Structure formats: structure tokens, C-alpha cells
């Protein structure tokens, strides 16, 4: 069975800002099915960001379930992700989903994997999808060698580099961010 999938999603925390960016490409087998899919969302009154990768219908299902958990746990992102992962591992329908989420708020970043694991990355960035290792590598280099850039600039440049070399990533980017109000005054 051919599935619609493939993407790059990158989340980063830097200098008081949290940014998630993603390309817009969805593939169907070895062809581009759609070039402008919005794979990032603001959730829970704009306090939590989420990006998804994998089979499109599965990713939307996970995103909806995560949003339900956020409501149940009053916006506690970590608890919501853990409860989603528990549910993912025990629910027969969810076990078959082929998708991943990266979620972020002011306190941190988490990856919810296709096996129902919740991972907190070692660095203040997380990447998922086909081009994730390209995006993560570019972002790590920018954080190390160009710390004067904003989080948005780093995410945009990392995705641009990824789209230049990954056939499953295009240049139609969508971004969502949370800014630290203390830094924007």
C-alpha cells in the first residue's frame, strides 16, 4: 500500500523564542502529492506548538489526540505527551499509526515517536521526518557558529539547506513561534 508521507519538521529554542518550521511537501510513493501542506500548529491558546511527520491521516489523528490530552491536563505538555504515548501503546488502532510529533513550549521540546516513546532531546532542538538529520545538523552548526541569529532565522536557514539536498523536502515553509514577551518589549 502506498502512503502519503515524507517531510521535514524542525523545532528550536533559542534566546527566549520557540520556533517550529516545516516544509510543505507530501509525497505519494515517489511523486509529490501536495506541495503546501501545513504541518505545524499552535495549540492550547498558542502556548504549545506541534509539528507532525509521517502518514498524513495518522499524523492528524495523533495531533487531535495530543490536543485532547492538552485539554485534559490543562496545557501540561509533558504530561499530555506521556499520556498520549501510554494510550498509543495500548490502543489497537493507535498502535498501527505511522507518524511522529514534535511538540514545544517555553519549558522544552519533546518528540513523540512512532513507537509511542516520548523523547526529550539533549539539545534545544528536535527534528522529525525524512529530512530530519539534515535539518538537525544544519541547526546544530548554526547554534554553534552563528548564535547571533534568531531562532526563526536558524530554523529557516536549516530548512533551506535541507530542502536543497533532501528530495522529500521542499521550500514551501510554514513557521509557528512563541516569543518571550520580556525580550520583545
Amino acid at each position: 500500500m502506498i502512503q502519503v508521507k515524507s517531510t521535514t519538521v524542525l523545532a528550536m529554542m533559542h534566546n527566549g523564542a520557540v520556533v517550529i518550521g516545516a516544509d510543505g511537501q507530501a509525497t505519494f510513493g515517489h511523486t509529490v502529492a501536495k506541495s503546501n501542506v501545513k504541518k505545524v500548529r499552535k495549540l492550547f491558546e498558542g502556548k504549545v506548538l506541534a509539528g507532525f511527520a509521517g502518514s498524513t491521516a495518522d499524523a492528524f489523528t495523533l495531533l487531535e489526540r495530543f490536543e485532547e490530552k492538552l485539554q485534559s491536563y490543562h496545557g501540561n505538555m509533558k504530561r499530555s505527551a506521556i499520556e498520549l504515548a501510554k494510550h498509543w501503546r495500548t490502543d489497537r488502532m493507535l498502535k498501527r499509526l505511522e507518524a511522529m510529533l514534535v511538540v514545544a513550549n517555553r519549558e522544552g521540546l519533546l518528540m513523540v515517536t512512532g513507537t509511542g516513546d516520548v523523547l526529550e532531546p539533549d539539545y534545544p532542538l528536535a527534528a522529525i521526518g525524512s529530512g530530519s538529520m539534515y535539518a538537525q545538523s544544519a541547526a546544530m552548526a548554526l547554534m554553534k557558529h552563528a548564535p547571533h541569529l534568531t531562532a526563526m532565522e536558524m530554523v529557516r536557514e536549516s530548512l533551506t539547506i535541507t530542502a536543497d539536498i533532501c528530495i522529500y523536502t521542499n521550500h514551501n515553509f510554514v513557521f509557528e513561534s512563541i516569543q518571550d514577551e520580556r525580550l520583545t518589549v
Side-chain angles (χ1 to χ4, degrees):
M1 182 169 128
I2 297 176
Q3 295 183 340
V4 178
K5 57 183 178 181
S6 298
T7 192
T8 303
V9 179
L10 176 63
M12 176 182 279
M13 299 176 75
H14 180 69
N15 289 340
V18 181
V19 176
I20 292 185
D23 76 310
Q25 185 163 294
T27 60
F28 189 74
H30 298 291
T31 61
V32 175
K34 188 166 173 69
S35 64
N36 61 350
V37 178
K38 186 178 180 207
K39 302 169 193 171
V40 296
R41 304 279 192 278
K42 277 190 174 182
L43 306 174
F44 200 73
E45 300 169 8
K47 296 176 184 170
V48 176
L49 303 177
F52 58 84
S55 177
T56 306
D58 292 354
F60 278 117
T61 300
L62 279 180
L63 191 62
E64 288 171 6
R65 297 286 172 98
F66 178 69
E67 195 164 20
E68 289 169 6
K69 297 293 184 191
L70 276 175
Q71 296 301 324
S72 297
Y73 295 104
H74 311 289
N76 184 324
M77 184 183 76
K78 189 177 270 189
R79 175 94 188 268
S80 299
I82 290 168
E83 293 301 322
L84 174 64
K86 284 182 191 176
H87 189 81
W88 194 337
R89 288 178 178 208
T90 59
D91 185 276
R92 286 177 29 180
M93 184 195 78
L94 285 179
K95 274 185 182 181
R96 297 184 192 139
L97 297 183
E98 295 181 13
M100 292 179 72
L101 294 176
V102 60
V103 295
N105 64 13
R106 292 188 198 289
E107 287 77 48
L109 303 167
L110 299 170
M111 292 185 295
V112 184
T113 71
T115 56
D117 292 316
V118 177
L119 303 172
E120 193 167 13
D122 290 334
Y123 300 98
L125 61 95
I128 58 173
S130 302
S132 63
M133 290 301 101
Y134 303 116
Q136 182 173 325
S137 298
M140 289 178 76
L142 289 171
M143 287 179 72
K144 182 175 181 178
H145 298 289
H148 62 280
L149 295 176
T150 66
M152 182 66 76
E153 290 169 330
M154 286 186 191
V155 170
R156 181 183 308 278
E157 185 60 24
S158 297
L159 288 174
T160 299
I161 290 167
T162 303
D164 287 345
I165 57 178
C166 176
I167 62 169
Y168 294 111
T169 305
N170 70 13
H171 287 89
N172 293 339
F173 306 133
V174 174
F175 303 93
E176 291 290 353
S177 67
I178 301 171
Q179 298 292 326
D180 188 335
E181 288 85 21
R182 294 170 295 179
L183 296 177
T184 58
V185 173

